[in-house]
Amino acid sequence: MTTSTSEIITKICQLSPFVADVVAQDETALVVDAETHKIQLLSPHHYLPQLQSALAQVSEEKAAQQVLRRYRKQWFAALAAADLTGQLSLSVMLEHLSAAADAFIIAARDWLYPRFTARYGTPRDSDGNAQPLWVLGMGKLGGRELNFSSDIDLIFCYPERGETDHQRKPIETDVFFTKLVQGMMSLLDALTVEGRVFRVDLRLRPFGQSGPVVTSLAALEYYYQEQGRDWERYAMVKARLIGAEPASEQAFKDLLRPFVYRRYIDFSAIDALRKMKALISQETKRQGVQNNIKLGPGGIREVEFIAQTFQLIRGGQQRQLQTQSLYQAYQVIAEQELLPQQTVQELLESYELLRRVEHVLQEYNDEQTQTLPVDEERQQAMAAAFGHDWESLVAKIHQAMAIVHEHFQNVIGDNDSDDEDAGPLQLLWQDMVEDSTALDVLHEYGLDKQRAQLIWQQVNELRMDVRKRGSGPRGRKAMAKLVPVLLQRCIQLADAEVVLERVFTLLRRIMSRTAYVELLVENVGAREQLVKLCRASSWIAQHLANFPILLDELIDPQHLYQLPPLEDYRAIVDEYLLRIPEQEDDLEAQMNALRQARQSCQLKIAAADISGALPLMKVSDHLSYLAEAIIAAVVHLAWHQLSARHGTPPGRSQEDMGFAVIAYGKLGGLELSYSSDLDLVFVTDSDYQGETDGAKPLEVQQFYLRLAQRVLHLFTTRTVIGTLYEVDMRLRPSGKSGLLVTRLSTYASYLQEDAWTWELQALVRARPVFGDQRLCEAFTTLRREQLQQRRAGESLAQQVVEMREKMRSHKELRREQHSFDLKQGVGGITDIEFLVQYLVLRYSCDYPALTDFTDNVRILEQAGQLQVMSTEQAQQLTEVYIREREWLHQLALDDRDSLTHQAFTDERTVVEKAWQQWFADVLKSADTDSDRSH
């Protein structure tokens, strides 16, 4: 080695510890031409044959790993030396690095392939031809612009599915190629004592890290057609098939073109690209990124991004832009005058400087970094490579980045206004948009063809409805803002079609009421709650659509999900009545205030319910206490209206009405649901002698009948906000033919002498929900006395079973095979309720505590504690009852009936065994009669 050559190598080693390490291990790694003093390099097209020749000499994987790593060090040390001495232009350096990377990939694949075919057979296509493994280079490798210490982004695929031709144990092609890819990863990416060749990143493949490492061409095409996402479209601009036949390369371009490049001039892409700009801005805020020549403002990423913008917007119509090369893209941009020639020149000059800086940074220690150094030693080495002092070099870098960032801002534009940006989805609300364009946009968001068509149909129909029934320019403008951002929010959901259908139903109700539309445009929180609630429950969605006034409740999520204590519902309902302006304090205003109170409180209960903050039993408690509060308000209103006109019965007042409301059914059992009717009975203990004391007196009995009618009117009249509750009075004495109000003494006689067994069963769940304490206690005593009477066990069992079967035959849903009616099916909720009622009627004579409660859960608990039934059976029945009610509750939230395809086999078995135990004689007799009839 001559002195001059030695000096050159020493200088290079001072600039790069990486090169110094390689030279220390192998003095022949760097060869300097004695005459030109240049580093001797292979030509780019010689990398592959030299590597293949070296690999041909080895047969073991470990030896192959050593060969690849040795050449990686030698070649890249030589390239670093040539670059650091200014021997190579940037374009030539990029050509060498990319060609070397291609050579490593192809050589590794081709060395492994015959070894795997010898072991597993050759994968064949349908024509019997051997199938190759195709390697798609992405990013800078795809654009032949690889940086010095870059990792390589790859996607692997093969022509078609099939199997190998192994005579004894053929395997599927996907298994074969998966093994081959794993072998390549071992050769290239496995970290050995000699390092690695490249870090290989496979995350750009379909489905990312959760997807298979290799896929068939058909599967690849299907993925990008049906599920390809925006960022994958951008990534595919750089995609290049490595080491394949020209025909295969063309086939790949044809396959990817429709996904990457739109047929129309795609100005909508600018909106999505702005979002990527926002992501870049976020990256620049990370620690240390202020000195990052790639991610910082005006960095390499922005130069690439400007070119990509024009490629995506115009590449569909201007085929010359369909290139992986940044240089070629900018050449076309200049030729087509998409940017001024001066701008393109400034961008490329800045790019070349920044890429050279990037290489020098990485050549120092062969590490992937784009951050300017802070330690003085590295700063001096880097400045020496450029022949500048450090301050001058940094100033030059900053100047270049400032130029790039200015052009970047001009091309991409700012999106810093307060208006939210729904990107390409805004196209879907344009009147002249083509179906194909709309479907392309939806496809970009990862929707398959069927889902895209369905959502486009939903949007289009809503757009047509708005055109027909909108509320003028202001309303149309608000809808034009609202629908795209709602789409943006919903389209990412797995059940987007269902959610949008529910949300659009509400929009149809409010689109002519601009204030509500603008509320959703301006309030992100309200919009988020709307989507959340509509997604969780069809019932809530319909509730909001029916009563848009409730949208005000969505503004404050914290308030929405915060439920009051149960005892506060009366005060809350009264507050709604107190809000009525004095000049509007009429009957209709009062009825609407009550309806709004119920709907608002129910919405909050439902919101807490779907958030998981409220178990089912607590949901029913809240709904039941709310109903009781409204009943109290309604009775007080009715009394006030009636007494104002007719006066009050003798000795009675607003505080002592002598009137009580008895709840049966779900309200009586504290098991109310969102859409439950109220089963009510009205009772009085007033003496019917005499008249009221008003200007228009009524007989006392007539007064109480009018009071009941007024209460029902307030409940059931439909106003603009709907009805308050549906009320069922059929459980009163003598049912539909009976009087609306019954004296307590008359009621006692009826229950004692005339009541059917099913009416006594209903009494199990009866409890007073309004009335003065004395009257309520009198009814409770009456209930206990009636339930605690001794009854003939066999006769009672017979009647209960017969009534149950009669009810089942009339009400059980049997629309579909393999379905189960949670309410009326065998082993369902009603079977448990009938069993509980039987236990109370049969055993409370000996165990009076069975009449303490009206809800099934606590009655079962009492039955277990009293050993009427075993504690274990009581616990099992309770668990089944709650589980079936919870499932029924979810169906109700989804606006569905009681039919489910869940088998509930174990639960039904528990109930059926209990029925077999408690009704054994009756069921046995029924089976015998059935056998006789056959």
Side-chain angles (χ1 to χ4, degrees):
M1 187 180 296
T2 66
T3 304
S4 178
T5 300
S6 176
E7 289 175 355
I8 292 171
I9 293 177
T10 300
K11 180 184 176 184
I12 293 169
C13 290
Q14 289 171 348
L15 298 177
S16 171
F18 161 66
V19 176
D21 287 344
V22 174
V23 172
Q25 294 170 23
D26 179 8
E27 289 187 358
T28 64
L30 289 188
V31 179
V32 181
D33 187 284
E35 293 183 9
T36 63
H37 294 170
K38 290 184 177 181
I39 307 297
Q40 290 187 3
L41 301 172
L42 290 175
S43 64
H45 64 272
H46 282 152
Y47 287 119
L48 179 58
Q50 188 171 112
L51 205 52
Q52 287 174 327
S53 176
L55 284 173
Q57 308 304 314
V58 300
S59 57
E60 298 298 324
E61 181 182 345
K62 187 174 182 181
Q65 287 179 328
Q66 291 172 342
V67 167
L68 293 170
R69 282 150 182 76
R70 186 173 72 249
Y71 275 101
R72 162 66 169 76
K73 286 183 177 179
Q74 288 179 1
W75 291 349
F76 276 61
L79 287 169
D83 190 44
L84 289 168
T85 56
Q87 179 177 324
L88 301 176
S89 67
L90 176 65
S91 59
V92 173
M93 179 65 170
L94 297 178
E95 182 185 6
H96 272 278
L97 292 170
S98 302
D102 284 1
F104 283 114
I105 292 166
I106 296 166
R109 178 195 63 186
D110 293 352
W111 184 84
L112 286 169
Y113 189 89
R115 286 160 176 77
F116 277 80
T117 57
R119 190 182 311 170
Y120 303 111
T122 302
R124 301 285 179 184
D125 63 20
S126 53
D127 295 325
N129 300 313
Q131 295 199 62
L133 175 66
W134 284 328
V135 185
L136 206 56
M138 307 293 289
K140 287 187 168 65
L141 175 61
R144 292 186 173 90
E145 295 150 4
L146 201 65
N147 62 46
F148 186 81
S149 296
S150 180
D151 39 359
I152 54 176
D153 298 296
L154 302 177
I155 294 174
F156 294 99
C157 64
Y158 58 90
E160 63 183 64
R161 298 198 66 174
E163 61 180 24
T164 63
D165 60 4
H166 196 280
Q167 291 185 349
R168 288 183 293 107
K169 290 184 179 180
I171 61 173
E172 298 289 326
T173 45
D174 56 346
V175 176
F176 175 88
F177 285 115
T178 297
K179 291 180 181 293
L180 182 56
V181 169
Q182 291 167 344
M184 288 184 65
M185 295 293 287
S186 177
L187 285 185
L188 297 174
D189 195 24
L191 188 60
T192 71
V193 291
E194 295 172 305
R196 56 162 60 91
V197 183
F198 290 106
R199 291 173 298 274
V200 181
D201 193 336
L202 302 182
R203 290 176 297 175
L204 294 181
R205 68 186 187 270
F207 303 108
Q209 289 176 301
S210 61
V213 295
V214 62
T215 186
S216 70
L217 186 62
L220 195 74
E221 181 177 21
Y222 179 81
Y223 174 82
Y224 288 121
Q225 284 182 352
E226 304 298 333
Q227 303 202 37
R229 290 161 290 179
D230 265 345
W231 68 264
E232 289 172 309
R233 182 186 171 202
Y234 309 140
M236 281 296 166
V237 169
K238 293 284 191 183
R240 172 175 64 88
L241 204 57
I242 295 172
E245 297 294 326
S248 299
E249 290 183 24
Q250 188 58 47
F252 257 96
K253 288 180 181 177
D254 294 342
L255 181 150
L256 293 173
R257 185 178 294 114
F259 170 60
V260 180
Y261 300 105
R262 300 293 180 253
R263 291 187 301 274
Y264 50 90
I265 295 179
D266 188 14
F267 283 112
S268 67
I270 201 78
D271 296 310
L273 290 164
R274 284 191 185 121
K275 293 189 184 301
M276 287 187 68
K277 177 216 170 186
L279 292 176
I280 292 174
S281 299
Q282 289 173 12
E283 285 181 291
T284 63
K285 294 175 184 176
R286 294 179 185 170
Q287 185 178 1
V289 101
Q290 63 267 23
N291 290 320
N292 191 295
I293 60 165
K294 177 182 178 182
L295 301 179
I300 295 166
R301 174 76 63 84
E302 291 190 358
V303 182
E304 296 167 341
F305 207 85
I306 293 169
Q308 200 174 45
T309 300
F310 287 103
Q311 288 182 278
L312 289 173
I313 291 174
R314 298 183 177 272
Q317 291 201 334
Q318 293 175 307
R319 288 286 185 95
Q320 305 98 311
L321 285 168
Q322 295 181 16
T323 174
Q324 299 101 345
S325 166
L326 178 133
Y327 285 104
Q328 291 178 17
Y330 270 112
Q331 183 180 343
V332 176
I333 289 168
E335 289 173 353
Q336 299 292 325
E337 298 182 347
L338 302 177
L339 283 176
Q341 180 72 46
Q342 178 67 25
T343 299
V344 172
Q345 184 176 339
E346 289 176 358
L347 284 168
L348 288 178
E349 287 174 355
S350 299
Y351 175 77
E352 296 230 349
L353 172 64
L354 295 175
R355 287 302 305 271
R356 282 205 63 217
V357 170
E358 178 184 42
H359 284 163
V360 173
L361 281 170
Q362 296 179 355
E363 288 159 358
Y364 187 83
N365 262 335
D366 190 17
E367 60 185 4
Q368 188 176 29
T369 178
Q370 286 93 12
T371 303
L372 295 178
V374 292
D375 63 286
E376 189 175 346
E377 183 181 348
R378 290 195 66 169
Q379 288 177 349
Q380 289 177 352
M382 190 170 171
F386 283 91
H388 292 288
D389 60 71
W390 176 246
E391 289 74 18
S392 299
L393 178 60
V394 169
K396 197 172 181 181
I397 292 169
H398 285 167
Q399 181 184 10
M401 293 178 75
I403 291 169
V404 169
H405 192 58
E406 182 181 354
H407 291 311
F408 178 82
Q409 296 279 47
N410 291 337
V411 171
I412 303 301
D414 281 318
N415 192 35
D416 299 328
S417 66
D418 292 333
D419 291 341
E420 286 189 75
D421 183 10
L425 291 170
Q426 292 171 346
L427 270 179
L428 274 60
W429 203 249
Q430 305 304 310
D431 280 343
M432 301 301 289
V433 66
E434 299 280 346
D435 287 349
S436 58
T437 301
L439 293 173
D440 282 343
V441 169
L442 290 170
H443 177 70
E444 291 168 20
Y445 280 81
L447 296 176
D448 61 33
K449 185 176 181 181
Q450 184 177 357
R451 295 184 71 206
Q453 287 177 332
L454 180 56
I455 289 176
W456 170 230
Q457 181 181 347
Q458 291 173 332
V459 175
N460 207 18
E461 287 174 356
L462 178 64
R463 191 163 53 86
M464 293 299 113
D465 287 344
V466 170
R467 288 185 66 185
K468 292 174 187 173
R469 299 165 39 216
S471 59
R474 180 179 152 201
R476 286 197 298 271
K477 183 179 179 182
M479 285 291 285
K481 288 183 177 180
L482 177 60
V483 175
V485 293
L486 282 172
L487 271 172
Q488 179 92 351
R489 174 65 184 87
C490 294
I491 210 166
Q492 60 192 282
L493 304 174
D495 50 352
E497 311 93 304
V498 176
V499 180
L500 285 171
E501 182 181 4
R502 295 172 183 176
V503 171
F504 287 177
T505 297
L506 179 137
L507 293 187
R508 285 184 170 86
R509 298 289 182 90
I510 67 169
M511 62 188 180
S512 59
R513 302 164 77 174
T514 304
Y516 286 134
V517 180
E518 289 178 337
L519 180 153
L520 291 173
V521 169
E522 294 163 7
N523 195 295
V524 180
R527 216 164 49 235
E528 185 63 28
Q529 296 312 312
L530 174 66
V531 172
K532 179 180 178 180
L533 294 171
C534 286
R535 186 184 191 196
S537 167
S538 175
W539 178 86
I540 295 178
Q542 196 59 49
H543 193 61
L544 287 167
N546 290 337
F547 312 113
I549 194 170
L550 297 176
L551 291 173
D552 288 333
E553 303 290 347
L554 306 184
I555 294 175
D556 182 0
Q558 188 174 3
H559 178 66
L560 175 64
Y561 292 95
Q562 191 172 13
L563 290 179
L566 295 172
E567 59 274 9
D568 284 3
Y569 278 111
R570 288 204 175 189
I572 291 169
V573 172
D574 289 343
E575 186 182 331
Y576 273 86
L577 289 168
L578 290 171
R579 291 179 192 171
I580 302 171
E582 190 173 338
Q583 66 273 21
E584 298 176 14
D585 194 8
D586 57 13
L587 177 60
E588 184 175 1
Q590 291 166 344
M591 289 197 293
N592 282 335
L594 288 171
R595 282 150 179 75
Q596 189 177 350
R598 182 206 171 184
Q599 291 153 7
S600 175
C601 290
Q602 274 202 340
L603 178 65
K604 291 179 182 179
I605 295 167
D609 182 5
I610 66 161
S611 72
L614 213 58
L616 173 62
M617 307 293 280
K618 295 295 184 185
V619 172
S620 293
D621 285 347
H622 278 272
L623 292 172
S624 298
Y625 274 75
L626 171 62
E628 291 177 39
I630 288 176
I631 289 169
V634 166
V635 176
H636 279 294
L637 270 180
W639 180 276
H640 175 73
Q641 293 165 5
L642 207 61
S643 61
R645 187 171 186 181
H646 301 291
T648 58
R652 297 300 185 186
S653 66
Q654 185 95 8
E655 291 73 33
D656 180 17
M657 297 180 186
F659 181 83
V661 180
I662 312 301
Y664 282 74
K666 289 183 178 179
L667 179 57
L670 288 164
E671 294 167 353
L672 207 63
S673 61
Y674 296 108
S675 52
S676 296
D677 297 347
L678 303 183
D679 294 299
L680 303 179
V681 171
F682 302 140
V683 297
T684 181
D685 61 353
S686 287
D687 187 345
Y688 278 174
Q689 300 299 315
E691 294 182 332
T692 59
D693 60 2
K696 295 182 178 180
L698 291 173
E699 291 182 355
V700 172
Q701 182 178 15
Q702 189 66 23
F703 176 88
Y704 282 110
L705 288 175
R706 291 272 188 94
L707 178 64
Q709 289 168 343
R710 175 66 57 176
V711 167
L712 291 176
H713 175 77
L714 291 172
F715 268 119
T716 59
T717 299
R718 183 171 294 279
T719 72
V720 291
I721 310 183
T723 59
L724 191 48
Y725 285 98
E726 295 298 331
V727 177
D728 192 335
M729 299 285 294
R730 288 175 297 177
L731 288 173
R732 68 186 185 271
S734 303
K736 289 182 180 179
S737 61
L739 295 172
L740 285 178
V741 183
T742 306
R743 295 191 71 226
L744 193 62
S745 57
T746 305
Y747 199 9
S749 299
Y750 176 83
L751 290 172
Q752 182 68 37
E753 299 168 9
D754 299 320
W756 296 84
T757 299
W758 65 265
E759 291 177 291
L760 297 174
Q761 288 177 243
L763 191 64
V764 171
R765 302 176 79 180
R767 64 184 179 91
V769 292
F770 174 83
D772 62 78
Q773 185 176 352
R774 178 177 46 79
L775 180 52
C776 290
E777 287 176 353
F779 174 81
T780 300
T781 301
L782 166 63
R783 172 183 172 275
R784 286 179 179 274
E785 290 173 350
Q786 292 297 327
L787 293 177
Q788 291 170 15
Q789 291 186 20
R790 192 169 298 279
R791 296 177 176 85
E794 188 174 336
S795 173
L796 176 64
Q798 182 75 38
Q799 292 168 345
V800 170
V801 170
E802 286 177 358
M803 176 52 66
R804 179 70 196 98
E805 289 309 313
K806 184 177 180 181
M807 179 186 287
R808 197 192 318 275
S809 65
H810 280 83
K811 293 188 174 182
E812 184 178 10
L813 299 175
R814 298 175 179 270
R815 288 201 304 270
E816 303 172 32
Q817 270 192 326
H818 309 300
S819 59
F820 169 51
D821 186 339
L822 277 162
K823 286 175 70 174
Q824 299 296 339
V826 175
I829 292 169
T830 309
D831 278 356
I832 299 175
E833 292 172 344
F834 266 63
L835 176 56
V836 169
Q837 293 158 9
Y838 167 77
L839 293 174
V840 174
L841 293 173
R842 175 68 179 83
Y843 294 104
S844 59
C845 56
D846 297 319
Y847 302 96
L850 285 173
T851 62
D852 287 354
F853 302 110
T854 61
D855 60 288
N856 292 298
V857 170
R858 284 186 292 183
I859 295 173
L860 282 169
E861 184 181 350
Q862 288 279 49
Q865 290 175 356
L866 297 167
Q867 288 299 296
V868 175
M869 62 169 49
S870 70
T871 306
E872 181 185 8
Q873 187 178 50
Q875 181 64 32
Q876 285 181 333
L877 286 168
T878 300
E879 290 173 359
V880 170
Y881 183 68
I882 292 173
R883 205 170 300 136
E884 290 184 343
R885 271 198 65 208
E886 285 174 342
W887 196 261
L888 183 66
H889 183 68
Q890 291 305 312
L891 291 174
L893 280 174
D894 213 22
D895 248 355
R896 292 160 62 189
D897 57 33
S898 57
L899 211 62
T900 177
H901 289 284
Q902 295 289 326
F904 282 92
T905 305
D906 294 341
E907 291 83 355
R908 295 168 70 181
T909 300
V910 169
V911 180
E912 289 179 55
K913 282 182 178 178
W915 265 66
Q916 290 294 337
Q917 176 185 337
W918 292 99
F919 301 114
D921 293 340
V922 177
L923 295 174
K924 190 174 182 181
S925 173
D927 290 342
T928 304
D929 292 342
S930 176
D931 291 341
R932 285 174 184 162
S933 67
H934 285 86

